[in-house]
Structure formats: C-alpha cells, structure tokens
Amino acid sequence: MPGTDPPVTTSRGDRRRITPWLRGHIGLVVLLAAPVVVFGIPLLFGQVFLDGDNLIQNYPLRVLVGQDLIHGHLPLLNPYIFSGTPLLGGFNAGGAYPLTWLFAILPAELAWTLNLIAAYEVAVVGMYLFLRRQTVSATAATFGAAAFSFGGFLGGQIVHIDLISGTAWLPWMLLGVHGLTEPGAASASTVPRRDAPPRWWWGLLLAAATALTVLAGAPESVLDAAVVVLIYLIWRYGRYGRAGWRDASGRRSPLAPLGYLLVSIGVGLAASAAQWLPGLVFTAQSQRATPTYQFFTSGSLPWRLTALVFSPFVLGTNQHELSSYFGAYNFPEVTSYVGILALIAAFALLTRRWRRRPEASRWWIWYVVLVLSLVAAWGGDTPFGHVLFLIPGIKSERLLNRSLLGVDFALATLLAWWVHMVVADRARARAAGVGPEAAGTATSGSMPARTRSRGVEVAVTCIPLVVVTVLCVGSWLWSNGLEQFIGTQYQSTSSMRLAVAAVLTGGVVIAAAATWIALFPRRLNPTMLRRALAVVMAVDLVFFTVLILHGPVTKTTAQATGPTGDRLTAVTGNGRFIIYDPDRFLQGELFALGQTDLNVPKQLPSAQGYAALVDGNYYRATGAHLQEDLDPYTLAGSTWDDLNVTVLLSLPSYFVTPVPSASPTHRATSFPSDPDAFVGGPAVAPDPIRLAAGAGHTWYFGSTLTLTGGEIPVDGGAVGPAARIGLITPTGSVAWVAQSVRPADRAAGTALRFSLDAPTVAAGIVVQNGPGKPITAATPEVDTVEDGTVALDGRLQNAVTPPHWTFTGTIGSFGVFRNARPHGWAWTTARNAGDRPGQVRQLSAGRDGTQRFLVRAQNPVWLVRSEAPAPGWHATVQAVDATGSRARGSATSAPVVSLKVTQRVKVPAGDFVVTFHYAPVSALAGLGLSAVGGLSLVVGGVFVLVDRRRRRRRRGRGVPHAAGSSVSTD
C-alpha cells in the first residue's frame, strides 16, 4: 500500500544485497533476533531456560533420545520410568522430530536451546509469510507475527516445548493451503504473475509442515491446528470453489486443488507415521483408551477465566517472587493474551468504517475461527462439549483449554489486517490532506450518519480499555470478590493481591496508550504512527514476557547431578526408587533428588514417572501417573516388590496429621489441604493395633520430627509396668525411653504417656507390650516442636510398616525407607505343583531395555521379569553349557506373557540364556513409512531447488511462463 512499506527493488543486483532488505524489514529482524538473544546469551554463562514440564519431562526424555541414537539404538523404549514404557509411542519425547536428533551430536543444553530458538523462529517466519500472502503490508505482517509468536499461547506454553514446536508450523500449513487454493488466472480477483510458484510447491510445503507438526510430539497442537486448517480450507472452497480453479488442461474445475491437498496430507502423514502410529497403539492400551466425559472436560477453560484474554495477570503471575498464580488449573494453560492492540483490532474491525471495506471479506473467517476456538476451549462449560466428545481422536484429549491456540491465531491475524488498514488510510489521508476517516470508502453519507458512525467506533474501540480498567479497579477495591467471581484455586495473601493490582495498573497504562493511538491516528504521520504502534506492542509483549518467563537454571539442576541426587543413586542400589509427594511440597528438593523424570539422564530406574500416557494395567495396579504419586494401599502388598523397588522416599505430611487446637501453633510442615485428593476417596480408617504379650508396633513420622512427649490410647485393661516406648532415631535404630513412661487416665480409657527431658529428634515411635494381658493400641498422638500435637494417622501410616519397610535415614527433608523384600530384576516360579524353582543370574542389561538372564532349573519353570508389560516385547531361549558361556543349538522364540505389572516366559529344564528385547511392530512400521514419506519430501525439495533455478534462468532470458500461473490478491 502507498506510504506503508519501502519501495521494492526488482534488479537482480539489488535483490542480492542484504543491507537494503534489513533496513526495510527492521521489525522482522528484531523479531528473529529476540529468541537468539533471550535464550542464547544465558547459555554462554552455563544457564538454560527450563521450567515446568520442560524441566521434569521434555528435557530428560530428549536427552534419552540423544543417548539412544549415540549408542546406535532406535529411541523406542524408556526403561527408567514406569518400570519401562514406550519412548517413541509416548509422544512427549518427540523422538522422531528432526531437531530432537541434535541431542545426539551436541551438548544437551545447546541442543535444547537451539530447539527453543527454532520453535520461535519458525513461528515468526511462517506467520509473516502467511500474512504477506493475505496481501497485508510487511509492517502489518510483522505486527501479526510478533503477536502470535511472543504472546498468548506460544508465550505461555513455553513450558511445553513439544507444544510450541508443533504449533509453530501452523502458519506454514495455512500457507500451503492458501497456495494450493489460489484461484486460476481467469478469475477476476487475480493478477497474473510469471514467477508465481506452481501448485505442487505449495503441496510440498503443506506435506512438510503437516509432518513436522505431528513429529513434534504434541497431540493437542496437531488436533487444534487441524481444526484451524480445516476451517480455513472450507472457507477457501466456499470462496473460490465454483469457478476459481483450473486443472492441468486449463479447464475450470472446483476439484483442481483437491488432489494436491489429499496427496500433500497423505505424504505428510506418511512422513510422520513414526510418531503417530506407535502413539495411537500406545494410546489404545493406556489410561486414555476409554476416556469418560469427565476426563475429557477436566481441562476445560472456565468461561469466567476468559477475562484473562484481556488481562492475563488478574489471578497472579508466573513469577513466584512477585505474585504466584492462584487461579484454577495452572498459568500456562489459561494464558491467551496476544497484546492489547490485537484486542482493539478485533473490536475495531467490527465497526461500520471497516466492515464495509472491500478487504473485509478476507478477515471475517478469523472471527469464525476465534468464536469456535473459544467455545471449544470452554468445553464442559457449554453444551458444545458433548458434541466434541463424540468426535474420535478429539475425545481422548483432556486439555480443551489448548483450543485457545485458535483464539490467539485469529487475534494476531486480525491485528495484522487492522494495522495494514490504519497505516494505509493514514498514508492516503496525509497525501490527500484529509482526515483518516475520509480516506475509507465506507464513510460516505450525511454528516449526522458519519458522526454517529464515529461515536460507535470510539465506543467499540474502547471496549478492551474499559474491561482492563474495570479489572484493575476491582483488583484494588474488590480483590476478594473479584477473585471469587473469576475463580481461584489457591489462597492469596494481601501482598500477592497488592502486587497483582500494581501489575494490572501497568496494563491499564499500556491499554490507554494503545487506545489513544487507535482513536487519534491523524495526530501522527505514517512513519510516526508505525513507530508508535510498534513501541506500544513491544512494551506490552515485553511486559507480558517478563511476568511469565522463569529464569534459566544450571546444568546441575537440569540433570540432578548434585550431592543430593548422588545420595539417592547410592541408596537405590541395584533396583528402582519411588517417591511419595503428590502435593509436591518440596519441589526444589525433588528437583535436586532427580525426581521422575529427572532420573532419566542419570539412568537411575524408577517405578514411577510423569507422562501423558501410562499403560492402563500398570496405572490401575500402581496408581502411578502424576509426579511422585501412587496408590498408598499398594505399599502394603507385593506390587512394588515385584517391580524391584528398593527404596521409598516421603515426608511427614503423609504420615501424621495435625490435631486441632484451641491455640494453633506455627507449623513448619506443609500438610495437604485435601488428604483424599490423590487416593480417589476417603482413606480407610486404621484398625486398632492389638498387641499380644511382648509384642510391639511401630509408627513412622515419614522423616524426622522433634518430640517433647506423647501418648498412646490403649484398651484391654491396665497397662503393665513392663510396657515401654522407644524412639526411632534419625539413623533407623531404636532408643528406648527410660523412666518416663506412665499410664494416664483418659475419658475413654487408658493411655500410655511418655515425656522427654529435652526435645529429641526422632523418626517414629515403637510401643512394646509387657508380659501379661494383650492390649489394643489406638492412634497415638505426639507433641512436636515443628507442628504442635500431631496424630500418627496419615495416608501412608498403615501401609509403610516394618519389617516390610524400614526407616534408614534421611536425604534432605525426605525420609528414606528400605524395602526388605524386593524380588530383583527376575526370578523363577515353578510351573507345576511340587516342582522346585530354578536359579537366575542377570548377564547383561542394555540401555534400550534388552536384558539377558542365565536360568538353571531341574524342571520347567516360569521366568518372571520385573518389567512393565507392553506389546512389542520378544524373548529368545537358548540352551548353554554348564558354564553358561557356550551356546548349544539355535535360539528359539518364546512368547512373552503379560502379568499385572510384570512379564514371564516358559523356560525348559536345564541351563538356558533368556534374552528380552523390545521391538514393537507399530514403531518399526511407522519408522519404515516415515522413511518413505521423508524421502519423498527430500526428493520434492530437490526438485523445488532445481525448478527455482530454472525459473530464474528463464526470467533472466525474458521467457514467459505458462499461462495460468498467478497469485491471488488474497
């Protein structure tokens, strides 16, 4: 548009000069440089941006992919979490995504940083090119690219690299669809252009973008992007489907692009089969195989949280130093703010001045995308959620709030159109010497009509400012009421609310400046207008980014290689560990320990994990899925023994509960606000402990507490003088309390009371009955320095007991309990009654899950292996000599039978080596299909380069291209 962009030179010499291009696209250059500066400079000082799920899941899984590739293994299995779980089929690792392969050839922190940078660079360039194809100016396209790439979804979801990597390819997919559906030269809406790319170029782009979106490993980005692409494709067909396209013979045909579209999507899906094929197979056996409507809508965005689209920090920020987020769900999942200018644009384009412009026909589709995406994000809060639940594929998605991707993309596109129109009108108005309103074509009519139209425009344009101001004033004057109206999940403090109000005030200032510029552009010449808009957007997005982006962490934190993690490795020994802290009270210590999945880079096996998908049978048997969670009742059984768990770590929060007191004491321990939150219902009340003569019982504290005394209610008669109480010392031994135990009267019976001369650190108490009559002991209560009086009736109290679990010490704040009866990595059981079990010795274990065992048995046995069952495991059995080193005959295949949490195979009598290896058919077939699809894309890319050079030579000779090559003004 005149006055909008610098002149474009056409000589070959000028096109080869970079400096003029940089000067003409300074905004785009800044956008491209921003990720490099923000993420790259800290890396020079040993710092890497890792937070949330990136730190505890996505980063360690990608490190594992790199390690597998270095050692020549396909990244099929993760043997270090959930007692063995699919790596490629689990999606989160993005094991088939090309940029993930950088972890095999570069230091992990550098590879991670390059992946982060690449995600935002891809988003910036893709959005810019797509908007340029919409025929908006370079300036406007830069604004839209900035809003989409650094605001809202891509900004807030930086904690999920798989999600932002997949989302970044959305504008490229739309660019491919746009190119494939450009109308033919015979259409009145086209301008012939000799150098327009042929349709197959766009098909290749669509195929590549589709493949990379899927390979990034985030199903939500695939589904939500597919919805946006489908809506856009339907609109393009509705706009040009009758007579806009020509087939290869030059005839008009509404089906002309259809073949290209189907082939492109088919090639893209083939190239990405390595991810989606094993992923779908694993989903079918996971906890999501039969999702309920409640599960499906559990991640819906409450409609009241839509206020965060206008002001994202109403319920706090993502910065704990300033004001932790205290709203429902978590901050990244409800973040959808692409800047105040985008909101102004979305409302302003609805006014008569803009909606009657010829260009308006090209942006209405984005209002459709915006509305449908917002309704989908609300999910269970609307009847539309039931409709979505009927759609295969989508019904397995839990986080419907991620449909905000469509909201953000639509707002960013509308922003680009609005900037394009405003700046172009201002340029025309200045050239004509009139106001910007007079430059449009929709303001003709009488003066009263134009005055009324201007008043409506002012009112509509001010809506975002009004909403932001109301939220700010409400935060200052009605903070508790505002929080209750929008919906909070955590208790906020007065200092947090004060910080939020101050942040919202800053947002109001930015909104006021943006609104003033939008309403009075005539006060600025075109250059000043562009600069003013750029400054407002830059301040807005920087303000937003500072409040959502956590600082970088060190390599020690990223890989849990400090002394705390080393101690966990030492106590775990030749087995697996588990941690019970589902409330994550001590997150910093959990990171230092190497919580699941931070144990993966150290190759320290865990029977737990953190992933979107968990084998359904394993989940039902263990309750393990969320971080440091498990079914408490399984600790008393043999489940964890079968999984070769050697140690359990936990906290007092789950062993003791505070006793209500008229004068509450300060509590140093954090206790669950809802003790039943992670057990699926009320915990079973513990049975009274019956102690025969001379028998005893132990109650643990979960770690160590400082005691001053306590009492144990007893029943069954008078307590003999020989009854005694002991304290579990911090090292796990028992110290008996001398001359301070005495029976005490209680309203409901007798109690055994003890007091200590000085506060004493202990990890539990032991009660031992003396000779004489049996007694029944009820729940003890002890007096602690840290938390006052506490009852020993926490959710783990009656499941973690000796001799099965023995307290052995502490690591930081966590108590360490050693399992006395782990079964090891494999064992044998007799196949027939009366037969004797054999002997097992592990010969080797590979990092890809491969294990070899030497089995010696006098009769046929079952070899049971401590590995989670999953399709794809194979076993071979080969006879060996008495030394176990020389094979006798060829190896034979043995079917692997899945048990509840383990596997087993039949082994004949004699000496045999049994080898287990993991090779799922779905993963191998997917890799093969991806190889074919990827080769097709590479060959297509080579042909693009060759065709491009041929076209350049023809242009140089002045040879026109075939008729029908054109570019639409859309």
Side-chain angles (χ1 to χ4, degrees), residues 488-572:
T488 60
Q489 183 175 356
Y490 306 104
Q491 185 67 38
S492 63
T493 63
S494 57
S495 61
M496 293 169 62
R497 291 193 291 268
L498 182 64
V500 166
V503 168
L504 296 187
T505 303
V508 170
V509 173
I510 296 173
T515 305
W516 183 88
I517 296 172
L519 292 176
F520 305 106
R522 72 178 70 183
R523 300 178 182 272
L524 304 170
N525 62 44
T527 300
M528 294 178 62
L529 177 59
R530 289 196 299 269
R531 291 176 179 174
L533 291 173
V535 168
V536 168
M537 167 153 275
V539 171
D540 197 6
L541 291 182
V542 169
F543 186 66
F544 171 78
T545 301
V546 167
L547 294 178
I548 67 168
L549 187 64
H550 279 293
V553 300
T554 64
K555 179 180 179 179
T556 299
T557 301
Q559 300 197 12
T561 55
T564 301
D566 293 342
R567 288 189 61 193
L568 176 60
T569 301
V571 300
T572 300

Side-chain angles (χ1 to χ4, degrees), residues 893-965:
S893 177
V896 178
V897 180
S898 296
L899 302 179
K900 186 167 62 172
V901 294
T902 57
Q903 308 169 1
R904 71 179 183 181
V905 297
K906 294 179 180 179
V907 181
D911 296 345
F912 291 87
V913 170
V914 182
T915 303
F916 292 85
H917 63 279
Y918 183 71
V921 174
S922 60
L924 298 179
L927 288 168
L929 193 55
S930 282
V932 174
L935 181 61
S936 301
L937 292 176
V938 171
V939 171
V942 171
F943 273 101
V944 166
L945 295 177
V946 172
D947 187 59
R948 190 165 177 263
R949 291 190 63 183
R950 179 179 60 84
R951 288 167 173 269
R952 282 184 173 181
R953 288 197 299 267
R954 295 184 67 179
R955 285 201 305 271
R957 294 194 299 264
V959 179
H961 286 272
S965 179

Side-chain angles (χ1 to χ4, degrees), residues 25 37 40 105 141 158 178 348 368 441 449 464 484 583 588 652 690 775 870 910 940:
H25 300 80
V37 172
I105 59 176
I158 191 175
H178 186 99
V368 176
T441 60
Q484 293 173 6
D583 296 279
R690 183 170 177 80
I775 61 173

Side-chain angles (χ1 to χ4, degrees), residues 629-680:
D629 193 18
L630 52 84
D631 184 349
Y633 305 120
T634 60
L635 292 167
S638 62
T639 298
W640 304 105
D641 306 335
D642 294 343
L643 294 174
N644 197 26
V645 169
T646 55
V647 293
L648 159 72
L649 275 66
S650 194
L651 295 167
S653 312
Y654 309 108
F655 284 79
V656 304
T657 58
V659 175
S661 172
S663 55
T665 61
H666 170 73
R667 292 174 185 154
T669 302
S670 298
F671 290 96
S673 57
D674 181 5
D676 302 325
F678 293 93
V679 295

Side-chain angles (χ1 to χ4, degrees), residues 55-354:
L55 174 61
I56 63 176
Q57 181 185 63
N58 296 318
Y59 175 78
L61 294 184
R62 280 158 176 74
V63 171
L64 178 59
V65 171
Q67 292 176 348
D68 282 347
L69 295 176
I70 289 173
H71 290 84
H73 303 305
L74 293 174
L76 302 180
L77 182 77
N78 182 355
Y80 305 114
I81 64 173
F82 295 121
S83 305
T85 187
L87 179 62
L88 189 60
F91 284 107
N92 294 106
Y97 190 60
L99 291 180
T100 303
W101 304 340
L102 292 176
F103 284 84
I105 59 176
L106 297 175
E109 294 74 25
L110 176 58
W112 175 265
T113 302
L114 291 177
N115 271 261
L116 269 182
I117 292 173
Y120 289 98
E121 302 288 9
V122 168
V124 168
V125 176
M127 191 64 174
Y128 177 84
L129 294 177
F130 174 69
L131 292 173
R132 289 292 282 152
R133 295 297 297 183
Q134 303 289 295
T135 68
V136 303
S137 66
T139 297
T142 303
F143 274 83
F148 173 69
S149 304
F150 301 114
F153 193 86
L154 282 174
Q157 293 288 357
I158 191 175
V159 296
H160 299 118
I161 194 170
D162 53 340
L163 196 59
I164 64 172
S165 296
T167 299
W169 292 104
L170 171 58
W172 293 92
M173 295 173 66
L174 291 169
L175 185 59
V177 169
H178 186 99
L180 284 173
T181 55
E182 283 185 336
S187 172
S189 62
T190 63
V191 178
R193 200 179 82 184
R194 294 184 304 167
D195 59 345
R199 189 169 282 156
W200 67 271
W201 281 31
W202 300 113
L204 188 66
L205 175 63
L206 176 59
T210 300
L212 291 167
T213 300
V214 178
L215 291 174
E220 293 88 355
S221 68
V222 176
L223 293 172
D224 296 332
V227 170
V228 176
V229 171
L230 180 61
I231 294 173
Y232 188 68
L233 177 60
I234 293 173
W235 174 73
R236 294 285 288 182
Y237 257 88
R239 184 173 174 84
Y240 300 115
R242 290 189 176 181
W245 297 305
R246 292 182 180 273
D247 58 21
S249 62
R251 295 174 301 182
R252 289 195 181 100
S253 171
L255 300 179
L258 187 59
Y260 287 94
L261 286 165
L262 294 178
V263 171
S264 300
I265 294 174
V267 172
L269 292 177
S272 60
Q275 181 62 75
W276 62 260
L277 187 54
L280 291 180
V281 171
F282 187 32
T283 301
Q285 71 186 54
S286 73
Q287 86 284 8
R288 297 194 183 192
T290 55
T292 64
Y293 182 74
Q294 181 180 7
F295 173 85
F296 171 67
T297 57
S298 60
S300 299
L301 179 76
W303 67 267
R304 292 179 179 178
L305 285 180
T306 310
L308 303 186
V309 174
F310 292 85
S311 189
F313 306 117
V314 174
L315 298 178
T317 72
N318 210 31
Q319 297 293 341
H320 302 296
E321 298 81 4
L322 178 63
S323 171
S324 297
Y325 176 75
F326 46 87
Y329 213 77
N330 61 64
F331 186 82
E333 301 294 357
V334 297
T335 300
S336 176
Y337 178 76
V338 292
I340 194 68
L341 279 177
L343 295 169
I344 291 173
F347 282 98
L349 290 178
L350 294 173
T351 61
R352 183 172 182 267
R353 175 189 173 192
W354 301 115

